[in-house]
Amino acid sequence: MRWFKVNGLLDTLRPVYLASNILLVNFTSYNFATRTVHRTLFDLTRFVFTLLLDVFLTWRAIQACQAFLKGTESMLINAGLYGSIVLNFLLTSSIPLWNSLNGTAIFEMFQGIEACNDELQPLGVWIDLQKRHLAFTVYAVLSTSNGFFVLIINWFFPSVVEKITVPDMFPDGWAILALSRTNFISGISSCYSTLTLLAIRKYFNLLNQTVA
């Protein structure tokens, strides 16, 4: 039984692309049939909504995390822990903005990797794109599962949440949503970065083998 039809290297990234769109991390539309990139009014609307949402969630998360300032008897440890958490929220919330500004450049980078794949094929270098598509699908699911896990535990198993004193650190639903949002963004970003580096490394190895 064959997996989804894959016409090129860019198609192997479709699962990650779809996940990033659904989770409001990517705001650029890719046409996989024509290999073009564009930005629609819907993309801009999603971006403005996400920008406002992330600002609000980051503000609520920073407020909620003030409980970490009383986590231990050491003010130095408390301040360091609180500062690192706040910095994590701030940096993570800036990733969608960075993606919006560099959406075209990201797509062109993947096009360059695909062009490398097309040039290596006449030399007898071949990669099973079906397997890569399946692997990327699994990776996208695993990368975003932590955020869904946080939401599911909080919504359906509140007694478990109370036992691990999470309400003291994330006292309301907005703070929990901010935590999940951070996990979604970091998961998708790490997925993109890892898959890109693995693809580049793979083609460099294949090129070296071909030249040798």
Side-chain angles (χ1 to χ4, degrees):
M1 179 178 178
R2 293 179 62 83
W3 186 246
F4 292 102
K5 184 179 180 181
V6 181
N7 296 319
L9 181 70
L10 274 175
D11 289 330
T12 63
L13 297 170
R14 192 189 296 265
V16 186
Y17 166 76
L18 292 176
S20 64
N21 277 352
I22 294 173
L23 297 175
L24 301 177
V25 180
N26 175 66
F27 308 98
T28 306
S29 295
Y30 300 159
N31 190 320
F32 290 91
T34 60
R35 296 297 194 261
T36 56
V37 57
H38 59 279
R39 183 164 294 167
T40 64
L41 179 60
F42 181 62
D43 292 328
L44 294 175
T45 304
R46 289 170 57 244
F47 171 68
V48 173
F49 169 77
T50 303
L51 186 63
L52 296 176
L53 176 65
D54 284 344
V55 169
F56 173 73
L57 290 180
T58 301
W59 172 67
R60 292 300 296 265
I62 292 175
Q63 282 188 321
C65 288
Q66 290 179 0
F68 285 97
L69 291 173
K70 302 177 182 178
T72 68
E73 296 180 356
S74 172
M75 289 296 297
L76 183 61
I77 294 177
N78 293 342
L81 183 60
Y82 176 74
S84 62
I85 293 175
V86 170
L87 183 61
N88 177 62
F89 277 113
L90 291 175
L91 291 177
T92 304
S93 62
S94 68
I95 291 177
L97 175 61
W98 187 91
N99 287 343
S100 178
L101 296 175
N102 297 277
T104 301
I106 294 173
F107 183 78
E108 291 175 349
M109 177 186 65
F110 290 134
Q111 278 187 314
I113 299 176
E114 184 177 55
C116 177
N117 176 73
D118 295 338
E119 292 179 5
L120 288 175
Q121 282 185 350
L123 301 176
V125 178
W126 181 80
I127 294 180
D128 191 339
L129 298 180
Q130 297 278 340
K131 289 184 178 180
R132 292 182 74 86
H133 186 279
L134 176 59
F136 290 177
T137 301
V138 174
Y139 196 3
V141 172
L142 294 178
S143 298
T144 57
S145 60
N146 194 31
F148 288 110
F149 178 76
V150 171
L151 291 177
I152 291 173
I153 290 295
N154 183 69
W155 287 342
F156 297 103
F157 303 98
S159 59
V160 176
V161 175
E162 293 177 0
K163 289 181 180 179
I164 57 179
T165 68
V166 171
D168 296 334
M169 302 175 183
F170 297 95
D172 55 33
W174 289 114
I176 294 293
L177 183 59
L179 178 61
S180 298
R181 173 72 177 156
T182 300
N183 283 304
F184 287 140
I185 295 175
S186 58
I188 288 293
S189 300
S190 64
C191 190
Y192 264 118
S193 302
T194 302
L195 295 180
T196 301
L197 292 175
L198 287 176
I200 294 174
R201 179 178 179 273
K202 179 68 174 180
Y203 284 111
F204 266 116
N205 289 338
L206 291 174
L207 182 60
N208 289 334
Q209 293 174 11
T210 303
V211 173

